[in-house]
């Protein structure tokens, strides 16, 4: 009798429970398979890939007698393999430079730790807390319903409806990170799509019209959130990484501020938004779409949902007031050379992160008006803070510092000398395309972290202003339209079940081409004016 079974069943035999678990003998082959399954399930191979690549580079690499540069290359391979393979959580992989840089002699522990909290990180942290406040009080939903009901039409006009929903998504994504914006707006879209008889989408002309419009709505929100994030520094991490690396590599040059980036990013985003709207209308809307939608959707439905939310409470109004004041402070901190902005009152010692944290602090001071002692925000409401993104940004800045302190930038600069003399305006679209291809397989932020240090050195090597290459690299990393793996927002849209990879590719290709074309036109014209790229590259 099996001893384990005897412990559970009554028997006439005198069977006692063993003090230790009894294991039956297992075939050797099954044990090996179990061990292999355990290794794969725990991602031990992925975990080992980082240290193995680092050890291989450090043992075999020869960078002209520069051990610190060689070690930096090995550490870079370690961190990026952990990012790409998800060997450990993203936040944990992003903290790896905190122990790898000092251990390999790249920089001191104090120096690398400072990269994880500077003015740019403060800007992101404060923006995330403000976004949580907007989400907590459902301000985003009220805004979406107001604008959508305005554009819905009576009878339904699908072109205007797409314009309203996608436009709302772009606006919200300008101030909130792309992923939470996509999640918020997909909820609004789901409320609309649930009115359609999804179980009847298999046949009939009307069913096909509903299916096409459902795809257009989900694709529109997914891509509009990416487009909106391009317009401002707070919209996406890639823009923040550009600002941080620019100040790290070229601290003596004019910094990229919130207002200066928005002067370039907003026109770029508007062009892409028009391209997205035109693409969706041409590919997914026909003359019969409005007639079919009118049977399931009308303006009164949206207004009814809005009325159920009731009038705006005091807390919502105060959050909007803080949000509006912060936008004004962002836009007016630094204006032009002739009109310096309010930062001159503080001798230029304040940054965008300074006012962001200041205004965010007010949320923890202003009462909500709901009960005695309750404030607009408390730390319990901040449990959903996206620390993994904050740590990823810090890792990107630490890597940029490591490139400089280890001497790897000088080696890369000498190795890229053969490109000297190549026309910069021809290289910029190629850089955008190159970055746009990489970003389809890894996140926007990881792509920017990977390519921007290389592009900074490339700019110095070929004798052009580095922003002529770094800006295309940043924009290209955000043209993530083809695959679900390109960005978490794509995963959110793909997870609804309304779209397929084929839909994303067919819609994403013209969007990616439109982004490259818009960049090629705007960068040497508007970009040169905004970023001061007409200055001589040798001055850098």
């Amino acid at each position: 009798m099996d001893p384990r079974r005897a412990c559970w069943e009554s028997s006439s035999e005198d069977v006692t429970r063993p003090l230790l678990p009894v294991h039956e003998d297992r075939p050797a082959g099954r044990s090996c398979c179990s061990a292999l399954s355990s290794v794969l399930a725990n991602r031990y191979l992925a975990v080992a890939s980082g240290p193995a690549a680092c050890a291989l580079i450090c043992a075999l690499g020869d960078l002209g007698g520069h051990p610190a540069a060689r070690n930096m290359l090995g550490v870079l391979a370690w961190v990026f393999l952990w990012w790409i393979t998800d060997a450990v959580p993203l936040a944990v992989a992003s903290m790896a430079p905190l122990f790898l840089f000092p251990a390999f002699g790249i920089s001191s522990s104090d120096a690398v730790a400072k990269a994880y909290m500077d003015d740019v990180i403060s800007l992101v942290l404060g923006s995330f807390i403000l976004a949580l406040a907007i989400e907590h009080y459902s301000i985003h939903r009220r805004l979406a319903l107001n604008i959508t009901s305005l554009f819905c039409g009576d009878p339904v006009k699908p072109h205007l409806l797409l314009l309203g929903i996608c436009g709302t998504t772009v606006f919200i994504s300008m101030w909130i990170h792309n992923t939470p914006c996509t999640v918020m707006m997909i909820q609004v879209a789901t409320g609309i799509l649930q009115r359609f008889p999804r179980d009847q989408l298999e046949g009939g002309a009307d069913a096909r019209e509903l299916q096409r419009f459902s795809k257009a709505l989900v694709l529109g929100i997914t891509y509009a959130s990416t487009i909106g994030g391009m317009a401002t520094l707070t919209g996406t991490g890639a823009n923040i990484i550009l600002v941080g690396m620019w100040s790290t590599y070229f601290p003596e040059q004019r910094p990229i501020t919130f207002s200066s980036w928005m002067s370039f990013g907003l026109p770029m985003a508007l062009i892409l938004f028009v391209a997205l709207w035109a693409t969706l209308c041409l590919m997914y809307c026909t003359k019969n779409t409005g007639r079919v939608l009118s049977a399931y959707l009308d303006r009164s439905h949206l207004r009814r949902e809005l009325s159920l939310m009731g009038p705006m409470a005091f807390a919502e109004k105060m959050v909007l007031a803080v949000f509006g004041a912060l936008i004004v402070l962002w836009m007016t901190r630094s204006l032009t050379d002739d009109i310096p902005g309010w930062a001159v009152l503080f001798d230029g010692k304040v940054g965008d992160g300074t006012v962001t944290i200041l205004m965010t602090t007010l949320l923890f001071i202003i009462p909500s008006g709901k009960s005695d002692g309750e404030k607009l925000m408390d730390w319990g409401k901040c449990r959903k803070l996206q620390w993994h993104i904050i740590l990823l940004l810090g890792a990107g800045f630490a890597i940029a510092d490591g490139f400089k302190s280890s001497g790897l930038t000088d080696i890369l600069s000498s190795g890229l000398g053969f490109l000297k003399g190549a026309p910069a305006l021809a290289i910029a679209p190629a850089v955008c395309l190159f970055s746009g291809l990489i970003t389809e397989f890894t996140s926007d932020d990881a792509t920017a972290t990977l390519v921007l240090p290389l592009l900074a050195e490339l700019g110095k090597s070929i004798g052009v202003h580095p922003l002529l290459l770094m800006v295309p690299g940043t924009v290209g990393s955000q043209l993530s339209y083809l695959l679900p793996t390109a960005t978490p927002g794509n995963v959110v849209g793909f997870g609804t079940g309304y779209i397929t990879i084929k839909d994303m590719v067919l819609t994403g290709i013209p969007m990616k081409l439109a982004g490259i074309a818009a960049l090629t036109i705007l960068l040497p014209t508007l970009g040169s004016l905004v970023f001061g790229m007409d200055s001589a590259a040798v001055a850098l």
Side-chain angles (χ1 to χ4, degrees), residues 179-346:
T179 304
C181 173
T182 308
V183 173
M184 292 176 184
M185 291 304 298
I186 282 293
Q187 294 174 353
V188 176
T190 301
I192 297 175
L193 297 178
Q194 285 177 345
R195 297 179 61 84
F196 301 161
R198 191 174 180 182
D199 56 337
Q200 301 178 11
L201 296 183
E202 295 298 328
D206 289 356
R208 286 193 295 270
E209 292 289 347
L210 293 176
Q211 186 181 43
R212 281 196 292 265
F213 183 79
S214 300
K215 291 181 178 181
L217 193 59
V218 174
L219 286 169
I221 290 175
T222 302
Y223 293 159
S225 65
T226 303
I227 292 171
M230 191 180 297
T232 63
L233 288 183
T234 56
T236 180
N239 295 342
I240 297 292
I241 292 172
L242 170 66
V243 174
M245 290 194 177
W246 174 250
S247 62
T248 298
Y249 279 98
F250 311 104
E252 72 282 359
Q253 296 300 310
R254 181 199 303 178
I256 301 176
T257 64
F258 189 96
S259 57
S260 64
W261 176 262
M262 191 172 181
S263 299
F264 174 79
L266 183 58
M268 181 81 188
L270 290 176
I271 293 175
L272 283 176
F273 170 62
V274 173
L276 172 65
W277 180 60
T279 301
L280 294 177
C281 292
L282 290 174
M283 293 184 63
Y284 297 101
C285 294
T286 67
K287 61 182 180 180
N288 294 322
T289 304
R291 176 186 59 81
V292 175
L293 292 179
S294 297
Y296 305 99
L297 181 67
D298 54 32
R299 180 178 291 174
S300 61
H301 164 68
L302 298 173
R303 289 178 174 171
R304 184 165 57 252
E305 286 194 15
L306 186 60
S307 64
L308 292 176
M309 297 186 69
M312 288 189 67
F314 172 79
E316 295 177 60
K317 295 177 181 178
M318 293 309 301
V319 170
L320 281 179
V322 171
F323 182 40
L326 178 57
I327 294 176
V328 173
L329 291 173
W330 276 340
M331 298 298 298
T332 58
R333 182 177 74 87
S334 177
L335 300 175
T336 65
D337 294 335
D338 298 328
I339 308 176
W342 58 262
V344 72
L345 301 175
F346 301 91

Side-chain angles (χ1 to χ4, degrees), residues 118-119 333 341-355:
D118 61 5
D119 185 69
R333 182 177 74 87
W342 58 262
V344 72
L345 301 175
F346 301 91
D347 297 327
K349 293 182 179 180
V350 297
D352 291 327
T354 307
V355 293

